[in-house]
């Protein structure tokens, strides 16, 4: 990987992942000045403080999902993510506070009702890459593998594990440019994406290793029965029967890259923090002295 100065590095944070993690892991014993639960806010704030302290990032954006039922993917496939429960009102309120904290620390907050956090992160990375940036995607989500170029990394912050494009193949058995096709074939139960019935992860990886892409698999499906894996003939039948479904699933698994979120080189530059906003949030959320000190030190 080429050496790149820190000012050519952008950190793109999957904010919703870390809010949900805090919601599930932090005890419900934190309350704001009105008595509302703020356990997820406490956990997310600790995460964000540690990330900023460790990374010293000069360019960063935190992306959130505001499109759990209104994404363009729901219009394509109404059952998309229909297996997930909507967050309760108290968590929706905490999401808003988490966005306020990120903004008060001078970070760009990405939030859209049509596009998901994945799309906002992908488009930001694509936009800044043309200005010579390399990206660090802060998330454990496997879907982001499709975004990694040779100079990019993904960082599972909780485990403190990083990997680049080669690490995608080690984890999934396919290359970054094949990840959307891979998920379209084997499906993604987390997002309620069906894939092709009967095709699992190993078969999907084997098909892509041989043919290279979903389009090539479907164009050359007559060759599939002759591949050396168990059930190849039955696999060919399923591919013929569900070709349209596979192509539909790829429209769901492919991350959008064309949203106007980072059109200039300084689009995601960290701004000066807002001390008065931080102090107000500390009072409203009733942060303890340690968190208050950490937040003020980051301004």
């Amino acid at each position: 990987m080429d050496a790149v100065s820190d000012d050519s590095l952008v950190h793109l944070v999957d904010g919703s992942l870390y809010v949900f993690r805090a919601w599930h892991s932090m005890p419900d014993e934190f309350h704001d000045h009105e008595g509302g639960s703020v356990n997820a806010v406490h956990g997310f704030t600790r995460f964000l403080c540690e990330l900023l302290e460790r990374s010293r990032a000069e360019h960063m954006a935190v992306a959130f999902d505001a499109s759990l039922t209104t994404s363009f993917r729901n219009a394509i496939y109404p059952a998309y993510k229909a297996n997930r429960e909507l967050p309760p009102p108290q968590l929706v309120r905490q999401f808003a506070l988490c966005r306020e904290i990120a903004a008060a620390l001078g970070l760009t907050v990405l939030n859209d009702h049509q596009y998901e956090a994945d799309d906002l992160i992908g488009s930001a990375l694509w936009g800044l890459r043309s200005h010579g940036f390399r990206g660090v995607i802060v998330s454990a989500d496997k879907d982001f593998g499709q975004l990694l170029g040779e100079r990019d990394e993904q960082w599972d912050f909780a485990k403190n594990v990083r990997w680049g494009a080669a690490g995608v193949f080690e984890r999934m058995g396919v290359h970054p440019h094949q990840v959307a096709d891979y998920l379209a074939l084997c499906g993604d139960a987390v997002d309620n994406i069906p894939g092709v019935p009967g095709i699992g992860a190993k078969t999907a990886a084997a098909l892509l290793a041989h043919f290279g892409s979903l389009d090539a698999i479907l164009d050359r499906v007559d060759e599939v029965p002759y591949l050396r894996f168990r059930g190849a003939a039955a696999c060919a039948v399923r591919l013929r029967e569900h070709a349209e479904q596979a192509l539909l699933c790829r429209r769901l698994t492919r991350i959008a890259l064309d949203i106007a979120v980072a059109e200039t080189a300084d689009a995601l530059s960290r701004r000066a923090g807002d001390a008065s906003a931080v102090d107000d949030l500390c009072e409203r959320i009733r942060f303890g002295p340690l968190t208050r000190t950490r937040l003020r030190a980051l301004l």
Side-chain angles (χ1 to χ4, degrees), residues 8 57 149 169 172 241:
S8 294
F169 187 84
M172 303 178 73
E241 290 178 349

Side-chain angles (χ1 to χ4, degrees), residues 150-225:
E150 288 304 313
R151 300 166 69 236
D152 304 315
E153 285 186 322
Q154 187 167 344
W155 185 8
D156 181 344
F157 191 81
K159 295 180 178 178
N160 195 27
V161 176
R162 297 173 180 255
W163 60 91
V168 175
F169 187 84
E170 293 171 7
R171 284 166 170 74
M172 303 178 73
V174 295
H175 300 288
H177 69 276
Q178 297 173 315
V179 168
D181 288 1
Y182 167 84
L183 294 171
L185 284 165
C186 64
D188 187 349
V190 173
D191 290 341
N192 208 35
I193 297 173
V196 176
I199 293 184
K202 288 184 179 179
T203 300
L207 288 167
L208 289 166
H210 184 84
F211 294 102
S213 70
L214 175 61
D215 295 311
I217 293 167
L218 298 178
D219 286 344
R220 298 162 56 192
V221 71
D222 291 343
E223 300 173 34
V224 172

